[in-house]
Amino acid sequence: MAKSLEVEHPKKAFGWAAKDTSGHLSPLQFSRRATGEKDVTFKILYCGICHSDLHMAKNEWGMSTYPLVPGHEIVGVVTEVGSKVQKFKVGDKVGVGCMVGACHSCDSCANELENYCLDMILTYGVKYFDGTITQGGYSNIMVADEHYVVRIPDNLPLDSGAPLLCAGITVYSPLRYYGLDKPGMHVGVVGLGGLGHVAVKFAKAMGVKVTVISTSLNKKKEALEHLGADSFLVSKDQDEMQAAQGTLDGIIDTVSAMHPLMPLIGLLKSQGKLVMVGAPEKPLELPVFPLLTGRKLVGGSCIGSMKETQEMIDFAAKHNITADIEVIPIDYVNTAMERLMKADVRYRFVIDIANTLKSSS
């Protein structure tokens, strides 16, 4: 599908990029396209670090193109808009999440579900309509079609709001779509990391009773006292798990490591739903018999549409939901990646782009 893009005056940009499969990031100068008629250009202020940035930097998914500037939890302030842009103006606070394009002609796109378009264009590391490779938010400026730009409400902090553009929408969308958002329901959240901690916050704001399920007992105090969960289960404790059998309407499973599904399915009431949002590298074993006897569902969910993402950001602003973050300078990014591999962060790193990314670096 032909797109009208002005490529004759690219913008000079700079950021930090992986240059090979070592995943080590270092400074890079590159080009952004000129502001097209439907494009929004903004100065990046903050960018969150997502686990997928680590996978992509090392080409662990086999789809990376180098040099690769990661980052898809991007927030900043608009500096320029194209002649046909209707939703944004210079000075607006905006964000860009995991995608920057789609075909806009398939069934998914027609139903405002661009995130399920087979030709969805990721925010970094893939080919854009004009043949260039998209580059992410570990950089000074961003140019995106206005359809893929989210308005950030004034009362939502930009630094701790940034991770919601990936982690937030990843858990908000399934809570809504699978109907696990009704006050009085009882929902489990498996894993208390970048995704899990915001899942607890969104579910509680929806009026849902929340049980955190974790392998680690040392997260119990954090879950109950800091995040406001109602109860906590240690998944390795068979007595605890047995006592909670058949008590949950649904479960949001955020874990990307290999783990057994049978104990989780057992926690569901009949007609309960286990929704996977983590992505283990190898197939998990799925026991079918308990699905049959309880008419239970195992489903999945991948980020969310642009409509859902704006709805999620507005909901977060209304209910004061933000990610728990550690703000870092750009030159700490490689250390942050090493810590992320060891899950040594509570719960999301956010790069202070505006104050620490310098063109001379």
Side-chain angles (χ1 to χ4, degrees), residues 69-81:
V69 179
H72 60 206
E73 300 177 346
I74 314 164
V75 293
V77 176
V78 176
T79 55
E80 189 180 12
V81 295

Side-chain angles (χ1 to χ4, degrees), residues 7-282:
V7 290
E8 62 271 32
H9 301 297
K11 300 176 188 303
K12 289 181 180 176
F14 52 89
W16 280 51
K19 315 283 175 68
D20 55 47
T21 55
S22 71
H24 182 83
L25 284 95
S26 57
L28 175 77
Q29 294 202 350
F30 63 102
S31 294
R32 294 278 189 203
R33 69 175 183 269
T35 307
E37 59 185 17
K38 291 187 176 179
D39 284 338
V40 172
T41 296
F42 64 95
K43 177 185 179 184
I44 298 172
L45 300 182
Y46 296 98
C47 184
I49 297 181
C50 176
H51 224 284
S52 52
D53 297 347
L54 188 58
H55 293 301
M56 288 289 285
K58 292 173 174 278
N59 196 27
E60 289 175 353
W61 292 336
M63 57 188 284
S64 302
T65 304
Y66 298 103
L68 180 128
V69 179
H72 60 206
E73 300 177 346
I74 314 164
V75 293
V77 176
V78 176
T79 55
E80 189 180 12
V81 295
S83 58
K84 293 188 178 175
V85 168
Q86 296 179 327
K87 294 189 286 187
F88 303 98
K89 64 183 188 306
V90 172
D92 285 351
K93 294 176 184 173
V94 295
V96 165
C98 303
M99 58 180 168
V100 291
C103 78
H104 293 279
S105 57
C106 67
D107 283 350
S108 291
C109 286
N111 289 309
E112 298 186 291
L113 293 168
E114 310 89 347
N115 51 315
Y116 297 115
C117 173
L118 295 178
D119 295 323
M120 175 184 68
I121 298 174
L122 298 174
T123 299
Y124 65 86
V126 300
K127 193 174 284 191
Y128 196 65
F129 296 114
D130 60 2
T132 62
I133 300 299
T134 56
Q135 302 289 12
Y138 297 12
S139 57
N140 65 323
I141 57 169
M142 186 73 190
V143 183
D145 184 295
E146 73 166 333
H147 185 78
Y148 296 92
V149 178
V150 176
R151 179 180 302 283
I152 309 290
D154 283 338
N155 68 316
L156 190 70
L158 289 179
D159 54 358
S160 53
L164 299 180
L165 293 166
C166 171
I169 187 58
T170 296
V171 296
Y172 179 90
S173 179
L175 283 167
R176 290 290 196 213
Y177 176 76
Y178 287 99
L180 302 177
D181 57 351
K182 311 292 185 292
M185 276 189 161
H186 192 173
V187 172
V189 173
V190 187
L192 200 61
L195 293 175
H197 91 286
V198 287
V200 174
K201 293 183 182 190
F202 275 113
K204 287 301 294 179
M206 291 167 180
V208 170
K209 183 180 176 186
V210 178
T211 293
V212 170
I213 304 153
S214 173
T215 56
S216 175
L217 179 61
N218 63 16
K219 289 189 176 178
K220 182 172 184 176
K221 184 177 179 184
E222 172 80 2
L224 299 178
E225 295 180 15
H226 175 62
L227 295 172
D230 298 282
S231 51
F232 187 91
L233 289 174
V234 179
S235 54
K236 293 175 179 173
D237 186 323
Q238 292 188 353
D239 292 339
E240 273 193 21
M241 293 290 281
Q242 185 62 40
Q245 290 267 308
T247 60
L248 302 179
D249 295 288
I251 296 173
I252 303 291
D253 186 345
T254 72
V255 175
S256 290
M258 298 297 290
H259 60 292
L261 298 183
M262 185 77 168
L264 300 177
I265 292 169
L267 294 175
L268 293 171
K269 297 175 184 176
S270 62
Q271 304 185 87
K273 300 163 185 174
L274 170 60
V275 186
M276 314 299 293
V277 295
E281 288 178 21
K282 294 176 183 172

